[in-house]
Amino acid sequence: MNSIRQVPTRVKSRRVETNLGAEREHFDKQQVNSISKAINSTEAPVKEKHARRIILGTHREKGAYTFWSYALGLPLASSSILSWKFCHVLHKVLRDGHQNSLQDCMRHHSSLIEIGQLWGNLHDKYGQLVALYSKMLCTKMEFHVKHPEIRANLEVTDEVLERAAGTDINNVFQLTVEVFDYMDTELRVAETVLRQLNTSIAISTLTAGQCRLSPLIQVIQDCSHLYHFTVKLLFKLHSCLPADTLQGHRDRFHDQFHSLKNFFNKARDMQYFKRLIQIPKLPDSPPNFLHAASLAKHVKPVVVIPDEPQDDEDDDPEPLIEVGDVPTASSAPTQVPAHKRSPHTLKYISLRFFLSFMSSSLPPDPPQAQRYITQLKSQINSLEAELEEQRAQKQRSLVENEQLRMELEATRGPPKNLSLPSAERAQATEQRYNKLKDKHTELVADHADLLRKVLAHSLTHYLARWPTDLLAHSLARWPIGSLTLSNVSSNPMSLLLFTQDLTMWESSDHAGMELSGSMTSLQAEKERLMRSVSEKEAELSSLRQSALAEQSSLQVEREKSSRDLGNLQSMLQEKVSQLEQLKQKLLEEQFSLLQGTVSEAENIIQDAVAKLDDPLHVRCTSSPDYLVSRAEATLASIDHVKTGHAHFVKDMADAGALVRALTQFSHLAADTIVNGSATAHTAPVDHADRLTENCRSCAVQSLAYLKELKEQASVRRADPAAVRLIVQKILHLGQELRPKGSDVRQDELGDMVDKEMAATQAAIDEAVRRIDVSSPRLARSGTTLTILFSCTDLMKAIRMLVLASTDLQKEIAEGGRGAATLKEFYARNSRWTEGLISASKAVGWGATQMVESADKVVLHTGKYEELIVCSHEIAASTAQLVAASKVKADRNSTRLTVLQQASRTVNEMAANVVASTRTGLENLEEKDTMDFSGMSLIKLKKEEMESQRYDNISLSVQYNCITEAATPATREFS
């Protein structure tokens, strides 16, 4: 006993360090041994005891350094089974290992990708599984590094998930996509494993099948949490975004739901999983995200892992609670270095030393003493648990202290980085620091009291039940002196005194130097903490000063901002005023533009009205068809004017639509007035009078409507209804003046075309024959003979024109009728057919009149002027026939070219007739004497007017024929 007391402190410290080093080395060897046994090329599942020891190793060393230092030397590229089991162990380390294991694994992220790519390029079943598993593990690590608040085992509350998603809907959307990708990789691994089992002879009861199936336990655990995350996130998205936007998310969730349900159902039926895991059941149908109330029906799937029986192994299991530098029960009561020891550790060492000494002083193998030792060990284990809890609380306090220090450092930065006023942050920091310091002091005091109470209670209970002989045998070796065995065994207070004496003895004789060193270190720690507090107080004082300065600068900036705000408001008012002025100016400019347009429209209509009384306009004629087309266009323009007027009334800053409509209306209305008057010149008297009167009324009503638009007071109520009524009357009159074709049925038009063309051909042939027969018989001079020859040439040219027109009409009918008959084509294009018939009649009539006029001229019973007029009429009739045939012909047609050449020949021959006739007229005038005695002045004037009348009639007939031919044909073409 004396030799134990005299062991130097340094020797004790070295023994403790040696024991701790030996324990660490022993533990590292066990962990490496477990890694080598868990990760091998044998096609068997990883044993849970090896995986558990690897996981405990990560918690002991607070990371996965040892695991990776050994794993990097494994020949993963040589065996796919070895790589598969490595991925399985890595999955367990990520899920259940220390939280720092994630960062250690991320350092080897690229190596894991290379392993997956290597085996993915090889045709090996396990290689395919390794490629998918490594990709899943990389996705898992990337996800948890990006979202560190979600632990790798995915066991987090809904509140943590809410914090991870945040309030920004874009972040929620992105997190949902990442969870989808996470789930896809998990399900792909599970589906591939099950598919390989279905196509191989391996079943779940064989080691080969179990080697593939064992990692699916972790996959099931991950998928149950990921499914819950997806449901919560999708309901949150549907509460903020339209349903159509999330259609893709819903489709993807439905696919994953059915895949996961199928996976769970297959796994639940396998014998291998029934004893290892309880797989939850998913609902029959996926949640309805379109109804928010469906969230209440959602039940989070819970995976249950039953307690496994302890595996038989020669190695002792490692303790789950880390005891730091505290020696084990079998350790000798040697001294631990003072810089690694705390007051709680000293008490713990004293208790363990007392237990060891009492155990060594007992007689050999006493059953009752062994039972008491077991009870005391259990109490020591409970004390260890309390100690670990206190350490955890102290660790949390240190973390909060570190956060406080980081906040203090942040407050030292530039004022622009402060999110709160510096004074408030400094005050809050000071309050938190004081609370933290008080809490730490309170925890230390509570911990010390707890240890004292537990130690006193344990010793009292132990000595009270200690047998007298054993107690005497043990106390005989203890130098207590002041206490006797009777006092200890009979008086509880004596037991307490004995406990105190025991503690004092340990402190004085065996731990005096330890307590001295501990006090020294505590004193140094106290001084360091005091210095730290002083530094913090100095920092707080500096922060207060900087906060005051910042507050002052903020006040200055606030005043400056107030002045700037006032200036900006005044500038805004000025801009608003300018904007109002610009709006008013725009309104004035738009109305001025409207007035200018109205004035121009008034001038156009007034000019059209003036032509009604112009004598030169009396010679102008127009067809009823053209008048009807002009009236219809005018009615359409009136509709546009009404639309533009309605838009202008709603927004008087935009007169563009009304201006464009008025421009079109003024021109069309003027055109209707002019053509209405021109049509009246060739209409019956009754219709002519009514048409002229309506044209004047149209001008009056149009000018009245334009006057309303021109005035600011009446522009909103202006209405062109009266103008529309007058234009409709003009339209009706024009329709009444159209040629009536009701006596001819549609099915007879085709026959009439052939008949009229045949009749025209016959009339021309007859005219040629008559001229040929009568030329040598009637011609009395060279002049008349020239006239007859020119008429003969004109008739031949007309005959060629008719033949060319007939050929072109057949080509048009053949190309445009399709499957219909020729008569049906003519009936369907009735307007064009009527134009052909009219032109053919005019040509035949002109040829007949030409022959009769020529006979009269030769016999001196007619006038040369009549022959000239007939020539002009024939030219106009042929022009009408050409226009009617040309309107539907193909521009590249060769027959159209022939017709055009024949038309030019007819014009040349008609010009020759006119020229020869004028020559004969001049020769006749030269032969006549210039004796006007027998002719009165009135007769001479009459002759002159008669000659002018023939010229006017000729021009009028030519114009009317061309117009009547072009109008129906053009309309039919359009």
Side-chain angles (χ1 to χ4, degrees):
M1 186 66 187
N2 294 332
S3 61
I4 295 176
R5 250 186 262 166
Q6 295 173 359
V7 174
T9 306
R10 296 180 182 176
V11 177
K12 295 179 180 178
S13 300
R14 283 197 298 269
R15 289 179 180 174
V16 173
E17 292 174 357
T18 303
N19 292 335
L20 293 177
E23 287 183 4
R24 291 193 184 95
E25 184 178 357
H26 176 67
F27 185 83
D28 291 341
K29 289 182 179 179
Q30 286 183 337
Q31 187 176 7
V32 171
N33 186 34
S34 297
I35 295 173
S36 63
K37 291 182 178 179
I39 305 175
N40 51 49
S41 58
T42 304
E43 193 174 8
V46 177
K47 289 187 178 182
E48 189 63 28
K49 58 186 177 183
H50 301 318
R52 183 168 58 249
R53 183 162 293 162
I54 296 172
I55 293 171
L56 289 176
T58 63
H59 286 279
R60 183 180 181 86
E61 66 182 12
K62 295 181 173 59
Y65 176 79
T66 302
F67 171 76
W68 277 105
S69 63
Y70 183 84
L72 292 176
L74 294 173
L76 298 178
S78 62
S79 174
S80 58
I81 297 177
L82 183 70
S83 300
W84 173 251
K85 298 174 77 172
F86 164 74
C87 292
H88 184 195
V89 175
L90 178 58
H91 196 178
K92 283 178 169 288
V93 169
L94 288 173
R95 278 190 54 84
D96 303 325
H98 194 272
Q99 58 184 0
N100 294 338
S101 301
L102 177 61
Q103 298 299 330
D104 293 339
C105 294
M106 277 300 296
R107 296 189 184 96
H108 306 281
H109 180 271
S110 59
S111 301
L112 189 60
I113 292 177
E114 293 176 358
I115 292 297
Q117 292 176 349
L118 171 65
W119 288 109
N121 295 327
L122 301 177
H123 297 286
D124 183 85
K125 290 187 177 181
Y126 270 104
Q128 296 177 3
L129 295 178
V130 171
L132 295 175
Y133 208 168
S134 60
K135 183 177 180 181
M136 184 269 284
L137 292 175
C138 291
T139 303
K140 183 180 185 70
M141 290 189 291
E142 293 166 0
F143 178 84
H144 292 290
V145 168
K146 186 175 182 181
H147 304 283
E149 59 274 8
I150 301 178
R151 299 179 57 188
N153 60 5
L154 297 172
E155 294 178 358
V156 295
T157 61
D158 293 343
E159 291 75 12
V160 175
L161 181 62
E162 288 288 336
R163 287 199 301 271
T167 57
D168 189 355
I169 195 62
N170 294 320
N171 295 338
V172 180
F173 192 94
Q174 180 62 29
L175 179 59
T176 307
V177 174
E178 293 172 358
V179 174
F180 275 141
D181 296 339
Y182 197 164
M183 176 75 86
D184 281 340
T185 58
E186 300 269 358
L187 291 176
R188 199 170 295 118
V189 172
E191 291 171 356
T192 308
V193 170
L194 295 179
R195 185 170 61 252
Q196 288 192 7
L197 287 179
N198 290 336
T199 57
S200 66
I201 61 174
I203 57 176
S204 63
T205 57
L206 300 179
T207 56
Q210 293 176 1
C211 184
R212 289 185 174 92
L213 290 175
S214 56
L216 297 190
I217 295 177
Q218 283 69 44
V219 173
I220 293 171
Q221 291 176 305
D222 287 347
C223 289
S224 63
H225 293 290
L226 292 175
Y227 169 77
H228 177 66
F229 292 171
T230 308
V231 172
K232 298 290 289 186
L233 292 173
L234 283 178
F235 271 112
K236 187 171 183 178
L237 282 176
H238 280 78
S239 65
C240 302
L241 294 177
D244 295 340
T245 306
L246 300 173
Q247 182 61 44
H249 276 35
R250 290 196 299 274
D251 295 341
R252 190 173 184 184
F253 175 80
H254 289 168
D255 294 340
Q256 288 189 352
F257 174 81
H258 294 298
S259 299
L260 182 61
K261 187 175 181 180
N262 186 32
F263 167 45
F264 279 6
N265 291 338
K266 288 183 178 179
R268 196 181 299 109
D269 294 337
M270 290 186 176
Q271 188 67 29
Y272 174 72
F273 292 109
K274 290 183 178 180
R275 67 181 182 85
L276 298 177
I277 186 172
Q278 293 182 8
I279 304 174
K281 290 186 178 180
L282 297 182
D284 296 334
S285 59
N288 187 1
F289 298 107
L290 301 179
H291 294 83
S294 300
L295 178 59
K297 301 178 182 178
H298 169 67
V299 179
K300 179 179 180 180
V302 179
V303 176
V304 179
I305 304 293
D307 294 336
E308 297 182 5
Q310 294 294 332
D311 295 326
D312 294 333
E313 190 178 10
D314 297 335
D315 301 330
D316 294 332
E318 293 296 324
L320 294 178
I321 302 176
E322 184 181 356
V323 295
D325 297 327
V326 179
T328 59
S330 60
S331 303
T334 56
Q335 184 179 6
V336 179
H339 65 280
K340 296 184 178 179
R341 189 170 296 135
S342 65
H344 315 303
T345 307
L346 293 174
K347 297 179 181 297
Y348 180 78
I349 291 174
S350 300
L351 183 59
R352 296 301 293 263
F353 175 78
F354 173 73
L355 176 62
S356 178
F357 182 79
M358 295 295 290
S359 298
S360 63
S361 62
L362 291 175
D365 196 18
Q368 188 175 4
Q370 188 65 31
R371 186 167 57 253
Y372 293 148
I373 292 174
T374 304
Q375 293 175 359
L376 187 57
K377 282 185 177 180
S378 64
Q379 293 182 10
I380 292 174
N381 290 334
S382 64
L383 179 62
E384 290 176 354
E386 293 290 338
L387 181 62
E388 181 62 25
E389 182 180 358
Q390 294 296 329
R391 278 194 183 133
Q393 293 180 359
K394 183 178 180 181
Q395 184 67 24
R396 287 194 293 270
S397 301
L398 291 176
V399 172
E400 293 180 2
N401 191 14
E402 182 65 18
Q403 293 177 353
L404 177 62
R405 184 186 62 78
M406 294 175 63
E407 292 179 1
L408 287 174
E409 291 179 356
T411 56
R412 296 195 191 111
K416 61 182 180 181
N417 294 331
L418 297 176
S419 59
L420 295 173
S422 298
E424 296 179 2
R425 288 180 60 85
Q427 184 179 2
T429 303
E430 183 180 5
Q431 291 177 357
R432 289 189 63 188
Y433 177 76
N434 293 333
K435 290 181 179 179
L436 182 60
K437 185 169 65 175
D438 296 341
K439 182 65 175 177
H440 183 265
T441 304
E442 181 182 355
L443 287 175
V444 172
D446 292 344
H447 194 186
D449 293 340
L450 178 61
L451 285 176
R452 283 195 296 269
K453 291 179 181 179
V454 171
L455 180 59
H457 179 270
S458 299
L459 289 176
T460 302
H461 179 73
Y462 179 75
L463 296 176
R465 301 181 61 183
W466 195 272
T468 304
D469 54 348
L470 293 178
L471 184 61
H473 177 74
S474 299
L475 293 178
R477 303 179 59 186
W478 283 69
I480 299 178
S482 60
L483 292 177
T484 62
L485 180 61
S486 58
N487 290 333
V488 173
S489 60
S490 61
N491 191 354
M493 184 58 68
S494 300
L495 291 176
L496 180 57
L497 293 175
F498 172 77
T499 303
Q500 294 175 353
D501 290 340
L502 178 60
T503 305
M504 291 174 62
W505 176 84
E506 290 178 349
S507 301
S508 60
D509 292 345
H510 293 275
M513 297 181 67
E514 296 178 5
L515 289 177
S516 178
S518 298
M519 291 300 294
T520 302
S521 62
L522 287 176
Q523 186 65 27
E525 182 71 15
K526 178 181 179 182
E527 293 176 357
R528 188 185 65 79
L529 290 175
M530 292 299 294
R531 287 195 302 271
S532 177
V533 170
S534 300
E535 292 175 359
K536 299 299 183 183
E537 290 177 351
E539 291 178 2
L540 288 176
S541 178
S542 175
L543 286 174
R544 289 193 187 96
Q545 294 178 0
S546 62
L548 292 175
E550 184 69 20
Q551 187 176 5
S552 176
S553 63
L554 287 175
Q555 183 65 26
V556 173
E557 298 227 354
R558 191 179 295 110
E559 294 175 356
K560 181 181 178 181
S561 300
S562 178
R563 291 194 300 270
D564 293 342
L565 181 61
N567 295 334
L568 290 175
Q569 288 179 347
S570 61
M571 292 174 62
L572 179 61
Q573 293 295 333
E574 184 178 356
K575 293 296 182 182
V576 170
S577 177
Q578 292 178 359
L579 182 61
E580 293 295 332
Q581 293 177 1
L582 290 175
K583 287 183 179 179
Q584 185 63 31
K585 185 177 180 181
L586 178 62
L587 292 175
E588 294 175 357
E589 290 179 352
Q590 290 294 309
F591 191 73
S592 177
L593 176 63
L594 178 61
Q595 287 181 326
T597 304
V598 170
S599 299
E600 186 64 24
E602 289 176 343
N603 294 333
I604 292 173
I605 293 178
Q606 288 173 355
D607 180 69
V609 174
K611 290 180 181 179
L612 297 179
D613 299 327
D614 189 356
L616 297 178
H617 184 65
V618 176
R619 299 175 61 182
C620 296
T621 59
S622 179
S623 66
D625 289 327
Y626 186 71
L627 175 62
V628 168
S629 68
R630 295 297 86 195
E632 290 175 348
T634 304
L635 291 175
S637 69
I638 292 174
D639 295 335
H640 294 161
V641 169
K642 290 190 67 176
T643 303
H645 180 262
H647 179 72
F648 178 72
V649 170
K650 292 180 179 179
D651 183 11
M652 302 192 72
D654 183 12
L658 182 57
V659 167
R660 290 190 295 271
L662 284 176
T663 303
Q664 183 187 31
F665 164 74
S666 60
H667 287 285
L668 292 175
D671 201 8
T672 301
I673 293 171
V674 172
N675 284 279
S677 175
T679 304
H681 294 161
T682 58
V685 177
D686 186 22
H687 286 79
D689 293 341
R690 285 191 294 162
L691 189 57
T692 303
E693 184 63 28
N694 285 329
C695 289
R696 294 183 185 277
S697 299
C698 179
V700 172
Q701 295 296 334
S702 298
L703 292 174
Y705 173 66
L706 293 175
K707 184 178 180 181
E708 289 182 350
L709 291 177
K710 199 173 183 179
E711 299 295 334
Q712 185 77 36
S714 58
V715 65
R716 292 182 176 274
R717 65 171 183 270
D719 189 4
V723 182
R724 172 185 287 277
L725 182 61
I726 296 301
V727 174
Q728 287 176 346
K729 291 181 179 180
I730 295 174
L731 175 64
H732 294 158
L733 288 174
Q735 292 174 346
E736 291 178 0
L737 291 174
R738 280 179 172 177
K740 300 297 187 295
S742 59
D743 54 340
V744 180
R745 294 185 304 175
Q746 296 292 329
D747 56 353
E748 297 177 355
L749 287 176
D751 297 336
M752 289 188 64
V753 172
D754 296 336
K755 291 179 181 178
E756 289 298 331
M757 295 300 293
T760 301
Q761 182 67 30
I764 293 172
D765 293 340
E766 178 65 20
V768 172
R769 186 188 63 77
R770 288 177 58 186
I771 291 176
D772 291 340
V773 171
S774 61
S775 294
R777 180 173 58 85
L778 298 177
R780 299 177 182 179
S781 63
T783 302
T784 56
L785 189 61
T786 301
I787 293 172
L788 290 176
F789 285 160
S790 62
C791 290
T792 302
D793 294 337
L794 177 60
M795 292 297 105
K796 293 179 180 179
I798 293 173
R799 182 171 60 185
M800 297 300 296
L801 176 69
V802 172
L803 292 175
S805 176
T806 303
D807 293 340
L808 181 60
Q809 291 168 16
K810 290 181 180 180
E811 180 183 352
I812 293 171
E814 291 295 330
R817 65 187 178 89
T821 62
L822 191 61
K823 291 184 179 181
E824 291 176 350
F825 172 78
Y826 283 128
R828 186 170 63 247
N829 301 274
S830 59
R831 301 292 296 172
W832 177 72
T833 305
E834 290 175 0
L836 286 177
I837 294 172
S838 175
S840 299
K841 288 181 178 180
V843 171
W845 179 83
T848 304
Q849 292 297 321
M850 171 66 74
V851 173
E852 293 177 357
S853 298
D855 289 342
K856 291 180 181 180
V857 168
V858 171
L859 296 174
H860 297 286
T861 59
K863 297 182 179 181
Y864 286 91
E865 288 81 359
E866 294 179 357
L867 190 60
I868 293 173
V869 170
C870 287
S871 298
H872 287 308
E873 289 179 351
I874 288 175
S877 300
T878 55
Q880 179 183 359
L881 182 61
V882 171
S885 301
K886 180 180 177 181
V887 72
K888 278 188 173 294
D890 186 3
R891 294 185 179 181
N892 299 322
S893 174
T894 56
R895 294 184 180 181
L896 176 62
T897 304
V898 173
L899 177 63
Q900 291 175 342
Q901 183 61 37
S903 176
R904 285 192 289 270
T905 302
V906 169
N907 290 333
E908 291 176 1
M909 294 300 101
N912 291 337
V913 172
V914 173
S916 62
T917 303
R918 289 187 182 279
T919 301
L921 181 61
E922 290 174 356
N923 293 334
L924 181 62
E925 290 176 351
E926 290 176 356
K927 291 179 180 180
D928 292 341
T929 61
M930 300 302 293
D931 185 11
F932 297 104
S933 57
M935 186 178 296
S936 64
L937 182 62
I938 296 175
K939 189 174 181 180
L940 290 174
K941 188 67 175 176
K942 184 177 179 182
E943 290 291 336
E944 181 181 0
M945 293 179 65
E946 189 70 18
S947 177
Q948 292 180 355
R949 188 175 69 84
Y950 277 117
D951 289 341
N952 292 337
I953 291 173
S954 175
L955 291 174
S956 177
V957 169
Q958 184 178 1
Y959 175 77
N960 289 339
C961 291
I962 293 174
T963 303
E964 290 177 359
T967 299
T970 304
R971 172 172 297 181
E972 182 66 26
F973 177 72
S974 62

